[in-house]
Amino acid sequence: MLLFVTLSCVAQDNVPVYSNNVLVVGYREKTLQDTIMQEWQHKDILVDTVPGVSSEKAYKNLESTSGNTVIVAVIDTGIDIDHEDLKDQIWINTDEIPNNNKDDDNNGYIDDIHGWNFLGNPKGENTHYARKEFVKILKDKGFFNKKGELKIIDNETDSIILKALGYYKREKTVLQEDNAYVLEQKKEYENINNKLKNYFPNQNYNLDKLKTIDTLANPDLKASVKKLHEFLKYELTQEWLKDFEEYNDMVVNYKLNPNYDDQKVSGDDKSDLKDKDYGNNNVIGDKSIDTHGTSVAGLIGASRDNEKGIKGIANNVKLMVLRAVPQGDEYDKDIALAIRYAVDNGAKVINMSFGKSFSMHEKLVSDAMAYATKNDVLMVHGAGNDSNNIDDINFYPKDYYDNGDEEFTQNFINVGAIHYKLNRKFPAYFSNYGKKNVDIFAPGYNLRTTAPNNSYIYESGTSLAAPIVSGVAALIRSRFPNLKASQVKHILMNSGYSYDIQVTIPGKNKNEKTPFASLSKSGKVVNAYKALLMAAQMSSLEKTN
């Protein structure tokens, strides 16, 4: 998945988003406490005047507060399974004896106590980065020279190649613009550091002290004070610039580097689903890199009763960890095997907060999705952060084939992201949308959630909206186990809350408005309270028939 946002745009919304459905930089706990309510996703529009999913209302007012334990598989980066708010919620494979180097349950995976890591090898080595899919395509077709430079291409007619070339050139341009912007702002900070060193000798900048500087008496400081005020207002700190510079370096060295060997560690054939002799049971990965999965997991099932951190949407949930998403584009085979693992090991909901614009082995994934459908498993997917209409632009994985619009599964639900502001900004500015291919929206802007090493963070993205829906789905499947996955999808979409407002279409001019209902198939925002009421009715009818 691609997002072409330069840093000059970031300051407008203060939430930089990048290609794996996740933030370039999240904001650590308390950074935004003065500007946003904590855990607004749980609120109710009627009770709190906040457009959350009414989960607090559901827990307070519905009698059915207990249910069966539901396994939710999280296909993502690694997850900090030792986190104070997650450790009691992590799935344990009781059929496997820990660390005896044997496949006790004969499922094909040795010592898979909490899930599996598809980004590694049996020696314990792990992969953390991957190339973008369009780079893989161009590399495989011989469009790069040995130095990694794009060859001159004439008379090319293959539509996929032309599309991949367009994406590659566009991302290279954006990267150059972002690097130039970072360099410009670093120079601004150098000037600020010199001009204001008597006021901020340790560079501990803050707005209160900045306001005390008399620029009338010191006109030579006026430009620096004005610029620093802008930086502080939008939290564009020197640390932020350093982090983004490191991210851009990562893009150069890995994501857009055709010569980076992202299969060196695993060594498997990415086109052969039967070649499964790779991976390991390290589902945490590197906590300094694999942060996204921890954030996703917390929104689904962080402990609700430990008086720490946050509350997940679902109780009675166990989180199965399937590490299959690197920094870059995931491999279709890894995703396909992760889906099949989740199904075979008892998951009833699979959260899929990842995506991309190209798919070299799409059938591997669609066959795995069909397998999940056959076995009554619900798949919940983030619709993507490209501000695109995905009725017109493919975003993978998807639940329909390219040769037609008919969905091949009713067990897949695609989720867009909303803002907490009930105005024209209601659909998050980065969210993909589509009347056919986005099913429903959920909170996905500045959500407080878990981060590695017992910390918490504010993050945004459709990959944060998807676990909200996964949590609601788990609530339903826990309390009403007689309902099928397709029925749960029906309930989620039809019980959602409708907002009759005109909104800005993501990625379009702010004056170009449309009814919010036109941006998704259901036209609604998921609502736990209403979903549980509808599920109770449907479950009762099922039992009487």
Side-chain angles (χ1 to χ4, degrees), residues 112-392:
D112 54 322
I113 305 302
H114 302 296
W116 194 249
N117 170 25
F118 292 92
L119 303 176
N121 62 30
K123 293 187 293 184
E125 298 172 322
N126 295 307
T127 297
H128 300 287
Y129 303 101
R131 296 166 296 168
K132 302 293 289 184
E133 194 86 339
F134 54 83
V135 175
K136 300 173 191 174
I137 291 171
L138 295 174
K139 174 70 173 180
D140 287 352
K141 296 295 184 179
F143 286 107
F144 291 103
N145 62 26
K146 292 182 179 180
K147 294 182 179 179
E149 300 166 335
L150 193 64
K151 296 179 180 178
I152 297 175
I153 302 169
D154 295 318
N155 304 319
E156 179 60 53
T157 59
D158 187 306
S159 60
I160 297 298
I161 296 298
L162 292 174
K163 182 181 174 184
L165 284 169
Y167 272 75
Y168 177 76
K169 291 177 180 179
R170 191 163 29 171
E171 280 229 346
K172 290 284 284 188
T173 299
V174 170
L175 180 64
Q176 292 170 356
E177 292 173 351
D178 284 352
N179 279 329
Y181 186 85
V182 170
L183 182 61
E184 178 185 351
Q185 303 315 309
K186 286 178 68 177
K187 289 181 178 178
E188 291 280 5
Y189 259 115
E190 288 178 9
N191 183 59
I192 290 169
N193 295 341
N194 290 328
K195 288 283 188 178
L196 302 181
K197 61 184 177 182
N198 291 333
Y199 297 90
F200 302 100
N202 298 317
Q203 298 179 22
N204 294 324
Y205 299 119
N206 65 81
L207 283 170
D208 289 337
K209 190 167 185 177
L210 186 66
K211 292 175 183 177
T212 67
I213 300 176
D214 187 350
T215 56
L216 292 177
N218 301 278
D220 62 315
L221 302 181
K222 184 176 181 179
S224 294
V225 169
K226 182 180 179 181
K227 191 65 179 180
L228 182 57
H229 182 274
E230 179 184 337
F231 283 159
L232 294 177
K233 179 181 178 181
Y234 294 112
E235 299 193 26
L236 208 160
T237 63
Q238 294 180 90
E239 181 184 10
W240 193 97
L241 289 170
K242 181 177 182 293
D243 287 341
F244 204 87
E245 187 173 38
E246 290 176 356
Y247 168 73
N248 286 341
D249 288 342
M250 183 264 289
V251 173
V252 171
N253 294 327
Y254 302 108
K255 290 187 177 184
L256 296 183
N257 180 4
N259 292 331
Y260 172 61
D261 187 358
D262 45 26
Q263 296 183 58
K264 182 178 180 180
V265 170
S266 64
D268 70 306
D269 181 350
K270 291 299 182 184
S271 65
D272 183 5
L273 207 62
K274 295 180 180 179
D275 179 11
K276 296 167 57 177
D277 189 23
Y278 70 104
N280 56 58
N281 69 346
N282 177 8
V283 296
I284 298 176
D286 185 332
K287 288 191 284 187
S288 69
I289 301 172
D290 294 320
T291 63
H292 183 249
T294 302
S295 297
V296 168
L299 292 173
I300 298 170
S303 296
R304 294 186 56 84
D305 56 4
N306 64 353
E307 304 300 325
K308 295 180 180 180
I310 66 168
K311 289 182 171 65
I313 294 289
N315 60 359
N316 300 320
V317 67
K318 293 298 180 183
L319 302 170
M320 178 188 291
V321 187
L322 298 170
R323 184 174 180 265
V325 181
Q327 297 296 319
D329 281 352
E330 62 279 356
Y331 274 95
D332 294 324
K333 175 184 173 181
D334 296 339
I335 299 304
L337 287 177
I339 292 172
R340 291 176 180 273
Y341 180 101
V343 173
D344 291 341
N345 290 278
K348 300 305 290 182
V349 178
I350 301 175
N351 190 85
M352 305 164 68
S353 291
F354 53 82
K356 56 189 180 180
S357 299
F358 294 81
S359 181
M360 295 176 70
H361 299 100
E362 180 186 0
K363 192 173 186 303
L364 296 181
V365 179
S366 59
D367 285 351
M369 291 167 61
Y371 182 70
T373 301
K374 181 180 178 181
N375 287 276
D376 190 38
V377 178
L378 182 70
M379 296 160 282
V380 183
H381 180 246
N385 299 328
D386 305 307
S387 309
N388 283 337
N389 182 347
I390 58 172
D391 291 348
D392 302 325

Side-chain angles (χ1 to χ4, degrees), residues 28-173:
R28 287 291 163 186
E29 185 180 13
K30 297 183 180 179
T31 303
L32 298 178
Q33 280 188 328
D34 293 335
T35 58
I36 187 173
M37 29 336 192
Q38 288 191 22
E39 298 186 69
W40 67 270
Q41 67 270 21
H42 294 294
K43 305 299 182 181
D44 178 83
I45 186 61
L46 299 178
V47 175
D48 309 296
T49 67
V50 178
V53 302
S54 306
S55 47
E56 284 182 356
K57 182 178 179 180
Y59 280 104
K60 288 178 182 178
N61 295 285
L62 297 182
E63 293 182 6
S64 182
T65 57
S66 62
N68 301 329
T69 298
V70 170
I71 299 172
V72 177
V74 182
I75 302 177
D76 214 289
T77 67
I79 293 176
D80 183 0
I81 60 175
D82 300 315
H83 193 288
E84 63 181 7
D85 230 359
L86 296 174
K87 60 184 180 181
D88 294 333
Q89 309 302 106
I90 302 299
W91 173 72
I92 297 174
N93 181 1
T94 56
D95 293 328
E96 193 79 8
I97 299 173
N99 304 316
N100 67 351
N101 201 33
K102 295 181 180 180
D103 181 14
D104 300 291
D105 57 1
N106 295 313
N107 68 351
Y109 300 91
I110 295 173
D111 288 338
D112 54 322
I113 305 302
H114 302 296
W116 194 249
N117 170 25
F118 292 92
L119 303 176
N121 62 30
K123 293 187 293 184
E125 298 172 322
N126 295 307
T127 297
H128 300 287
Y129 303 101
R131 296 166 296 168
K132 302 293 289 184
E133 194 86 339
F134 54 83
V135 175
K136 300 173 191 174
I137 291 171
L138 295 174
K139 174 70 173 180
D140 287 352
K141 296 295 184 179
F143 286 107
F144 291 103
N145 62 26
K146 292 182 179 180
K147 294 182 179 179
E149 300 166 335
L150 193 64
K151 296 179 180 178
I152 297 175
I153 302 169
D154 295 318
N155 304 319
E156 179 60 53
T157 59
D158 187 306
S159 60
I160 297 298
I161 296 298
L162 292 174
K163 182 181 174 184
L165 284 169
Y167 272 75
Y168 177 76
K169 291 177 180 179
R170 191 163 29 171
E171 280 229 346
K172 290 284 284 188
T173 299

Side-chain angles (χ1 to χ4, degrees), residues 28 245 293 419 459 472 490 524:
R28 287 291 163 186
E245 187 173 38
H419 197 291
E459 289 195 332
V472 178
H490 171 88
K524 300 176 181 181

